[in-house]
Amino acid sequence: MIAPSAATRPAFPNVSFGPFRLLEAVPWLLVAATMRVIAFAGGLIALPAIMLANIALLLAFVIVTWRMVLATDGRSGLGLLGLSQQIGMARAVLPPIFGLLVAATAVAAVTGLTGRPGEFMLGFDGIAFDQASHAGRLWSALVAALVLLMVLQVDEASKPSLLRAIRRFGDHARWLIPGVLLVAVVAVLLHPIQGYVRGWVTQMWQDSPLPVALKSLLSMVFIFSFATVRLWLTVGILVFALRQSYRAQPGA
Protein backbone atom coordinates (compact mmCIF):
# COMPACT_ATOMS: atom_id res chain seq x y z
CA MET A 1 0.00 0.00 0.00
CA ILE A 2 2.78 2.40 0.90
CA ALA A 3 6.50 2.35 0.42
CA PRO A 4 8.82 1.63 3.33
CA SER A 5 11.11 4.30 4.69
CA ALA A 6 14.77 4.27 3.85
CA ALA A 7 15.57 3.83 7.54
CA THR A 8 16.14 0.34 8.84
CA ARG A 9 15.64 0.47 12.58
CA PRO A 10 12.23 1.15 14.20
CA ALA A 11 12.15 4.11 16.56
CA PHE A 12 9.07 2.63 18.24
CA PRO A 13 9.54 -0.13 20.84
CA ASN A 14 9.89 -3.67 19.48
CA VAL A 15 7.05 -5.49 21.25
CA SER A 16 7.31 -9.25 20.79
CA PHE A 17 4.16 -10.29 22.67
CA GLY A 18 1.23 -9.45 20.39
CA PRO A 19 -1.40 -8.33 22.97
CA PHE A 20 1.07 -5.85 24.47
CA ARG A 21 1.09 -4.01 21.14
CA LEU A 22 -2.41 -2.80 22.00
CA LEU A 23 -0.85 -0.85 24.86
CA GLU A 24 1.83 0.98 22.85
CA ALA A 25 -0.37 4.02 22.30
CA VAL A 26 -1.57 4.17 25.93
CA PRO A 27 1.16 6.55 27.21
CA TRP A 28 0.27 9.15 24.57
CA LEU A 29 -3.45 8.64 25.19
CA LEU A 30 -2.83 9.11 28.90
CA VAL A 31 -1.09 12.41 28.13
CA ALA A 32 -3.98 13.42 25.86
CA ALA A 33 -6.59 12.51 28.49
CA THR A 34 -4.72 14.40 31.22
CA MET A 35 -4.36 17.50 29.05
CA ARG A 36 -8.07 17.36 28.21
CA VAL A 37 -8.96 17.37 31.91
CA ILE A 38 -6.68 20.37 32.46
CA ALA A 39 -8.11 22.17 29.41
CA PHE A 40 -11.72 21.64 30.51
CA ALA A 41 -10.88 23.27 33.84
CA GLY A 42 -10.39 26.52 31.92
CA GLY A 43 -8.02 29.38 32.56
CA LEU A 44 -4.91 30.53 30.73
CA ILE A 45 -3.51 27.01 30.58
CA ALA A 46 -6.51 25.65 28.64
CA LEU A 47 -5.20 26.53 25.16
CA PRO A 48 -1.70 25.05 25.52
CA ALA A 49 -3.23 22.02 27.24
CA ILE A 50 -5.59 21.28 24.35
CA MET A 51 -2.71 21.77 21.89
CA LEU A 52 -0.63 19.22 23.78
CA ALA A 53 -3.63 16.89 23.93
CA ASN A 54 -4.00 17.03 20.14
CA ILE A 55 -0.29 16.38 19.56
CA ALA A 56 -0.36 13.42 21.95
CA LEU A 57 -3.46 12.02 20.27
CA LEU A 58 -1.86 12.30 16.84
CA LEU A 59 1.28 10.49 18.04
CA ALA A 60 -0.92 7.71 19.42
CA PHE A 61 -2.73 7.66 16.07
CA VAL A 62 0.60 7.22 14.25
CA ILE A 63 1.64 4.26 16.40
CA VAL A 64 -1.67 2.49 15.87
CA THR A 65 -1.63 3.26 12.14
CA TRP A 66 1.84 1.77 11.79
CA ARG A 67 0.80 -1.41 13.59
CA MET A 68 -2.41 -1.77 11.59
CA VAL A 69 -0.66 -1.24 8.24
CA LEU A 70 1.78 -4.01 9.11
CA ALA A 71 -1.07 -6.23 10.30
CA THR A 72 -2.77 -5.91 6.90
CA ASP A 73 0.41 -6.93 5.05
CA GLY A 74 1.26 -3.37 4.10
CA ARG A 75 4.61 -1.62 4.48
CA SER A 76 5.23 1.57 6.36
CA GLY A 77 8.13 3.61 7.65
CA LEU A 78 6.03 5.35 10.31
CA GLY A 79 7.63 3.19 12.98
CA LEU A 80 11.03 4.47 11.93
CA LEU A 81 10.27 8.09 12.77
CA GLY A 82 12.07 9.55 15.75
CA LEU A 83 10.24 11.78 18.22
CA SER A 84 11.46 14.98 16.57
CA GLN A 85 10.23 13.71 13.18
CA GLN A 86 6.89 12.76 14.71
CA ILE A 87 6.53 16.25 16.20
CA GLY A 88 7.40 17.73 12.81
CA MET A 89 4.69 15.62 11.21
CA ALA A 90 2.21 16.81 13.86
CA ARG A 91 3.06 20.41 12.93
CA ALA A 92 2.27 19.60 9.29
CA VAL A 93 -0.94 17.64 9.95
CA LEU A 94 -2.70 19.47 12.77
CA PRO A 95 -2.94 23.09 11.45
CA PRO A 96 -4.85 22.16 8.25
CA ILE A 97 -7.04 19.78 10.23
CA PHE A 98 -7.74 22.58 12.71
CA GLY A 99 -8.66 24.84 9.78
CA LEU A 100 -11.05 22.16 8.53
CA LEU A 101 -12.67 21.92 11.96
CA VAL A 102 -13.12 25.71 12.12
CA ALA A 103 -14.67 25.77 8.64
CA ALA A 104 -17.03 22.89 9.44
CA THR A 105 -18.08 24.55 12.70
CA ALA A 106 -18.81 27.82 10.90
CA VAL A 107 -20.86 26.06 8.22
CA ALA A 108 -22.80 24.11 10.84
CA ALA A 109 -23.53 27.30 12.79
CA VAL A 110 -24.65 29.30 9.75
CA THR A 111 -26.77 26.57 8.17
CA GLY A 112 -28.25 25.19 11.38
CA LEU A 113 -27.11 21.73 10.31
CA THR A 114 -26.99 20.67 13.96
CA GLY A 115 -28.03 22.12 17.26
CA ARG A 116 -24.48 21.70 18.53
CA PRO A 117 -22.16 23.27 15.95
CA GLY A 118 -19.39 23.50 18.55
CA GLU A 119 -18.96 19.73 18.52
CA PHE A 120 -17.55 19.95 14.99
CA MET A 121 -14.51 21.61 16.59
CA LEU A 122 -14.03 18.33 18.47
CA GLY A 123 -13.84 16.27 15.29
CA PHE A 124 -10.20 15.30 15.85
CA ASP A 125 -10.64 14.84 19.59
CA GLY A 126 -13.60 12.55 18.86
CA ILE A 127 -11.35 10.01 17.15
CA ALA A 128 -10.55 8.63 20.61
CA PHE A 129 -12.99 10.38 22.93
CA ASP A 130 -16.79 10.25 22.91
CA GLN A 131 -18.75 12.83 20.97
CA ALA A 132 -22.08 14.29 22.10
CA SER A 133 -24.23 13.34 19.09
CA HIS A 134 -24.44 10.98 16.14
CA ALA A 135 -23.57 13.85 13.79
CA GLY A 136 -20.40 14.49 15.79
CA ARG A 137 -19.48 10.81 15.72
CA LEU A 138 -19.89 10.65 11.95
CA TRP A 139 -17.82 13.82 11.56
CA SER A 140 -15.03 12.38 13.74
CA ALA A 141 -15.00 9.22 11.63
CA LEU A 142 -14.54 11.31 8.48
CA VAL A 143 -11.82 13.40 10.12
CA ALA A 144 -10.05 10.17 11.15
CA ALA A 145 -10.03 8.99 7.52
CA LEU A 146 -8.50 12.28 6.35
CA VAL A 147 -5.89 12.23 9.12
CA LEU A 148 -5.01 8.65 8.16
CA LEU A 149 -4.50 9.64 4.53
CA MET A 150 -2.34 12.60 5.59
CA VAL A 151 -0.21 10.49 7.94
CA LEU A 152 0.39 7.87 5.25
CA GLN A 153 1.75 10.56 2.93
CA VAL A 154 4.87 10.58 5.10
CA ASP A 155 5.81 7.24 3.53
CA GLU A 156 5.78 8.94 0.14
CA ALA A 157 8.52 11.32 1.29
CA SER A 158 6.16 14.27 0.94
CA LYS A 159 4.77 16.82 3.34
CA PRO A 160 1.25 15.85 4.50
CA SER A 161 -1.40 17.76 2.54
CA LEU A 162 -5.07 17.96 3.41
CA LEU A 163 -6.06 18.70 -0.20
CA ARG A 164 -4.16 15.66 -1.42
CA ALA A 165 -5.82 13.58 1.30
CA ILE A 166 -9.26 14.77 0.18
CA ARG A 167 -8.46 13.85 -3.42
CA ARG A 168 -7.21 10.44 -2.33
CA PHE A 169 -10.34 9.94 -0.26
CA GLY A 170 -12.32 10.45 -3.46
CA ASP A 171 -10.12 7.94 -5.28
CA HIS A 172 -10.83 5.30 -2.62
CA ALA A 173 -14.37 6.39 -1.74
CA ARG A 174 -15.87 3.05 -2.74
CA TRP A 175 -14.21 1.46 0.29
CA LEU A 176 -13.52 4.41 2.55
CA ILE A 177 -17.11 5.66 2.73
CA PRO A 178 -18.37 2.31 4.09
CA GLY A 179 -15.36 2.33 6.42
CA VAL A 180 -16.25 5.78 7.74
CA LEU A 181 -19.87 4.73 8.24
CA LEU A 182 -18.79 1.59 10.09
CA VAL A 183 -16.52 3.65 12.37
CA ALA A 184 -19.48 5.92 13.13
CA VAL A 185 -21.70 2.91 13.89
CA VAL A 186 -19.06 1.52 16.27
CA ALA A 187 -18.91 4.90 18.03
CA VAL A 188 -22.70 4.93 18.35
CA LEU A 189 -22.68 1.42 19.85
CA LEU A 190 -19.88 2.28 22.29
CA HIS A 191 -21.64 5.43 23.50
CA PRO A 192 -24.22 3.80 25.84
CA ILE A 193 -21.60 1.39 27.21
CA GLN A 194 -19.24 4.24 27.97
CA GLY A 195 -22.14 6.24 29.41
CA TYR A 196 -22.99 3.41 31.80
CA VAL A 197 -19.40 3.13 33.01
CA ARG A 198 -19.18 6.94 33.25
CA GLY A 199 -22.24 6.89 35.50
CA TRP A 200 -20.59 4.29 37.71
CA VAL A 201 -17.44 6.41 37.94
CA THR A 202 -19.49 9.50 38.82
CA GLN A 203 -21.35 7.60 41.53
CA MET A 204 -18.04 6.31 42.88
CA TRP A 205 -16.78 9.89 43.21
CA GLN A 206 -19.91 10.92 45.07
CA ASP A 207 -20.51 7.92 47.36
CA SER A 208 -17.36 5.83 47.68
CA PRO A 209 -15.10 6.20 50.74
CA LEU A 210 -12.06 5.35 48.60
CA PRO A 211 -9.09 7.74 48.78
CA VAL A 212 -9.17 10.60 46.29
CA ALA A 213 -5.93 9.40 44.70
CA LEU A 214 -7.47 5.99 43.96
CA LYS A 215 -10.64 7.60 42.60
CA SER A 216 -8.54 9.75 40.29
CA LEU A 217 -6.60 6.70 39.11
CA LEU A 218 -9.80 4.77 38.37
CA SER A 219 -11.21 7.76 36.51
CA MET A 220 -8.12 8.03 34.31
CA VAL A 221 -8.19 4.27 33.65
CA PHE A 222 -11.80 4.65 32.52
CA ILE A 223 -10.96 7.53 30.18
CA PHE A 224 -7.92 6.10 28.42
CA SER A 225 -9.29 2.54 28.31
CA PHE A 226 -12.21 3.62 26.16
CA ALA A 227 -9.91 5.96 24.22
CA THR A 228 -7.63 3.02 23.42
CA VAL A 229 -10.51 0.85 22.24
CA ARG A 230 -11.95 3.64 20.09
CA LEU A 231 -8.60 4.49 18.53
CA TRP A 232 -7.70 0.91 17.62
CA LEU A 233 -11.15 0.17 16.20
CA THR A 234 -11.22 3.41 14.22
CA VAL A 235 -7.77 3.03 12.69
CA GLY A 236 -8.21 -0.71 12.18
CA ILE A 237 -11.43 -0.32 10.21
CA LEU A 238 -10.09 2.52 8.07
CA VAL A 239 -6.74 0.86 7.32
CA PHE A 240 -8.53 -2.37 6.35
CA ALA A 241 -10.90 -0.43 4.08
CA LEU A 242 -8.00 1.40 2.44
CA ARG A 243 -6.05 -1.82 2.04
CA GLN A 244 -9.04 -3.51 0.38
CA SER A 245 -9.35 -0.53 -1.97
CA TYR A 246 -5.75 -0.96 -3.08
CA ARG A 247 -6.24 -4.69 -3.55
CA ALA A 248 -9.32 -4.09 -5.68
CA GLN A 249 -7.38 -1.92 -8.11
CA PRO A 250 -6.46 -3.53 -11.46
CA GLY A 251 -3.00 -5.02 -11.41
CA ALA A 252 -2.79 -4.92 -7.60
Side-chain angles (χ1 to χ4, degrees):
M1 180 167 62
I2 42 184
S5 169
T8 57
R9 246 184 112 168
F12 294 159
N14 184 17
V15 181
S16 57
F17 184 52
F20 284 169
R21 293 174 183 171
L22 299 175
L23 305 178
E24 287 179 308
V26 166
W28 286 122
L29 288 174
L30 181 58
V31 172
T34 303
M35 291 298 103
R36 288 175 84 251
V37 171
I38 294 173
F40 289 157
L44 295 177
I45 199 172
L47 182 57
I50 200 64
M51 291 173 62
L52 289 174
N54 288 338
I55 292 173
L57 177 54
L58 180 62
L59 297 184
F61 189 98
V62 170
I63 293 174
V64 175
T65 298
W66 177 58
R67 283 297 184 188
M68 290 307 306
V69 169
L70 297 183
T72 56
D73 298 323
R75 294 181 298 171
S76 174
L78 290 173
L80 308 171
L81 299 176
L83 181 59
S84 61
Q85 293 170 304
Q86 295 175 50
I87 297 297
M89 180 178 58
R91 291 172 59 187
V93 171
L94 291 177
I97 289 295
F98 178 76
L100 178 66
L101 300 181
V102 171
T105 302
V107 170
V110 170
T111 62
L113 182 64
T114 174
R116 304 182 183 197
E119 70 181 334
F120 280 80
M121 277 300 299
L122 299 175
F124 180 70
D125 186 80
I127 294 174
F129 302 102
D130 196 17
Q131 279 275 41
S133 72
H134 294 341
R137 295 177 190 109
L138 178 59
W139 172 239
S140 288
L142 178 58
V143 170
L146 294 175
V147 171
L148 174 65
L149 293 170
M150 292 182 72
V151 165
L152 292 179
Q153 291 171 19
V154 173
D155 281 296
E156 302 167 357
S158 61
K159 182 179 179 180
S161 164
L162 177 58
L163 291 178
R164 193 159 64 249
I166 293 173
R167 288 195 298 267
R168 191 155 296 178
F169 184 93
D171 295 338
H172 299 279
R174 180 182 174 187
W175 285 93
L176 282 180
I177 288 177
V180 167
L181 293 176
L182 181 56
V183 168
V185 168
V186 168
V188 169
L189 294 176
L190 279 174
H191 174 69
I193 300 173
Q194 187 167 355
Y196 175 82
V197 179
R198 185 185 296 111
W200 178 83
V201 171
T202 301
Q203 185 175 9
M204 175 197 67
W205 267 100
Q206 295 173 347
D207 304 331
S208 175
L210 293 173
V212 173
L214 182 55
K215 290 180 180 181
S216 300
L217 176 62
L218 291 175
S219 298
M220 292 305 299
V221 169
F222 156 70
I223 293 172
F224 69 74
S225 293
F226 274 96
T228 300
V229 171
R230 287 177 181 277
L231 181 59
W232 275 96
L233 288 175
T234 296
V235 175
I237 291 169
L238 293 174
V239 168
F240 178 79
L242 186 59
R243 185 63 177 159
Q244 290 302 111
S245 180
Y246 276 99
R247 285 172 173 165
Q249 290 179 349

